[in-house]
Amino acid sequence: EDHWRCICGEYTLPHLREDYFLIAYLYDSFQLTALEVWMHPPYEGARLEYAESFAQHMNNTVREVHRAGKAVSAPACYLHCATEDSRFHAVAADGVIVSALFLEWYNNTRANTSLSSQEPRDAL
């Protein structure tokens, strides 16, 4: 009955036991396009409200993942799967390039270094 939930990270991630580094774009372009907004930014009116609500929900989900001890990066960007192209090396959050943050985590694999102990900042 709720089998569809396995494809949604917010329901699946709490059950993963291995360490992982979550990269989630708060304004995920695939989800915003596929769900309600159906267009590229800039948004106005009800679409803007929906996009902001979506981003806040993503931010809350990312915070829960972080509280569970996982490494996260959640730039407030309108992107999806940027890890698969050159944008991965250009996106920055708070002046830190996401790919560099991931590389630092990867090189300190499962060490629970400063990356997992820092409280994420509100992106909104």
Side-chain angles (χ1 to χ4, degrees):
E1 60 197 52
D2 286 338
H3 298 291
W4 60 270
R5 290 181 178 221
C6 67
I7 198 167
C8 298
E10 66 188 291
Y11 302 114
T12 304
L13 294 175
H15 301 286
L16 297 180
R17 295 176 192 211
E18 293 295 321
D19 286 340
Y20 58 85
F21 188 101
L22 173 66
I23 300 172
Y25 300 103
L26 298 184
Y27 295 89
D28 184 286
S29 60
F30 175 80
Q31 292 186 67
L32 285 174
T33 301
L35 296 172
E36 288 289 323
V37 181
W38 302 306
M39 58 180 266
H40 296 284
Y43 303 123
E44 296 177 355
R47 288 183 171 156
L48 176 60
E49 288 177 27
Y50 183 87
E52 292 295 335
S53 174
F54 176 87
Q56 186 60 55
H57 177 76
M58 290 289 285
N59 199 35
N60 292 341
T61 299
V62 165
R63 287 181 165 282
E64 288 177 30
V65 168
H66 183 265
R67 280 192 286 276
K70 306 303 181 186
V72 301
S73 177
C77 297
Y78 181 79
L79 289 172
H80 180 80
C81 288
T83 56
E84 298 176 5
D85 63 38
S86 62
R87 293 177 295 178
F88 183 55
H89 303 288
V91 173
D94 289 331
V96 178
I97 295 176
V98 174
S99 62
L101 193 61
F102 171 76
L103 186 59
E104 181 182 339
W105 173 84
Y106 182 79
N107 287 334
N108 295 308
T109 305
R110 297 165 183 50
N112 291 327
T113 61
S114 61
L115 290 179
S116 62
S117 62
Q118 294 177 357
E119 179 64 21
R121 298 182 194 127
D122 283 327
L124 301 175

